[in-house]
């Protein structure tokens, strides 16, 4: 109605409100998981920056999320090892299960290290389907959004560039 009456600013504000409400609804779809405790990690890389994202679940509910923007990395699996190791060196608690979005260099070494700190078994999983994969995808999406905000791009554009890089076998998305 506003656009028909040539009130484009009001139309744009209304459109943005509708979009924000839809985004909020989408973000709230994944708020619980059938696991007592789990941390989910994603690492999204671009030409200049990378975003390391973690989503934490406790008692099956989403309890926290954090992200860090770092310089772009050349080796994602090596970076995952270092970032996860550093992350838990700053935390009082390590969950029994950790889900990640890709391979980790020396994964067994990392598991043994985390288990020695925790004093109990730690499992690292690489979800391929189901609710765990949906949560990993949410974590990747969040990382893309934070990276996009930093680079002045939309998250969908970043996701498309990431997919293009993956399909072409590039270590980083095109700039």
């Amino acid at each position: 109605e506003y656009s028909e009456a040539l009130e484009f600013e009001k139309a744009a504000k209304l459109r943005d409100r509708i979009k924000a409400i839809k985004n909020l609804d989408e973000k709230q779809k994944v708020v619980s998981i059938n696991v007592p405790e789990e941390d989910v990690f994603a690492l999204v890389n671009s030409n200049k920056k990378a975003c390391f994202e973690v989503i934490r679940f406790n008692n099956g509910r989403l309890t926290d999320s954090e992200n860090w923007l770092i310089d772009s990395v050349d080796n994602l699996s090596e970076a995952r090892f270092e970032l996860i190791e550093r992350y838990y060196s700053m935390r009082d608690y390590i969950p029994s299960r950790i889900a990640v979005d890709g391979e980790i260099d020396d994964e067994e070494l990392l598991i043994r290290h985390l288990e020695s700190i925790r004093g109990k078994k730690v499992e690292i999983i690489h979800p391929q389907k189901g609710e765990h994969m949906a949560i990993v995808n949410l974590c990747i999406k969040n990382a893309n959004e934070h990276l996009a905000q930093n680079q002045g791009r939309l998250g969908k554009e970043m996701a498309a560039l990431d997919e293009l890089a993956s399909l072409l076998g590039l270590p980083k998305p095109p700039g």
Side-chain angles (χ1 to χ4, degrees), residues 112-149:
R112 286 194 306 273
H113 174 68
L114 296 174
E115 287 176 342
S116 71
I117 295 169
R118 184 173 191 261
K120 294 181 185 175
K121 184 172 173 34
V122 174
E123 177 185 21
I124 294 180
I125 63 169
H126 305 268
Q128 302 300 313
K129 60 184 178 180
E131 70 179 347
H132 290 286
M133 188 64 204
I135 291 171
V136 167
N137 285 336
L138 175 66
C139 197
I140 292 169
K141 181 181 175 191
N142 289 352
N144 269 316
E145 290 292 335
H146 289 113
L147 196 55
Q149 288 171 1

Side-chain angles (χ1 to χ4, degrees), residues 55-70:
I55 299 175
R56 303 191 78 168
F57 288 86
N58 195 1
N59 294 320
R61 293 215 173 285
L62 177 66
T63 58
D64 192 19
S65 70
E66 297 177 86
N67 69 82
W68 294 266
L69 290 172
I70 58 175

Side-chain angles (χ1 to χ4, degrees), residues 19-77:
K19 186 178 178 183
I21 291 168
K22 286 181 180 176
N23 284 342
L24 182 63
D25 183 50
E26 188 176 305
K27 286 180 182 178
Q28 291 183 355
K29 285 180 184 174
V30 180
V31 293
S32 64
I33 187 171
N34 290 324
V35 172
E37 58 183 12
E38 181 173 310
D39 287 354
V40 181
F41 291 94
L43 178 59
V44 174
N45 204 23
S46 74
N47 282 337
K48 296 177 183 161
K49 292 285 182 185
C51 183
F52 180 60
E53 182 91 20
V54 61
I55 299 175
R56 303 191 78 168
F57 288 86
N58 195 1
N59 294 320
R61 293 215 173 285
L62 177 66
T63 58
D64 192 19
S65 70
E66 297 177 86
N67 69 82
W68 294 266
L69 290 172
I70 58 175
D71 289 335
S72 183
V73 297
D74 293 324
N75 184 328
L76 289 173
S77 59

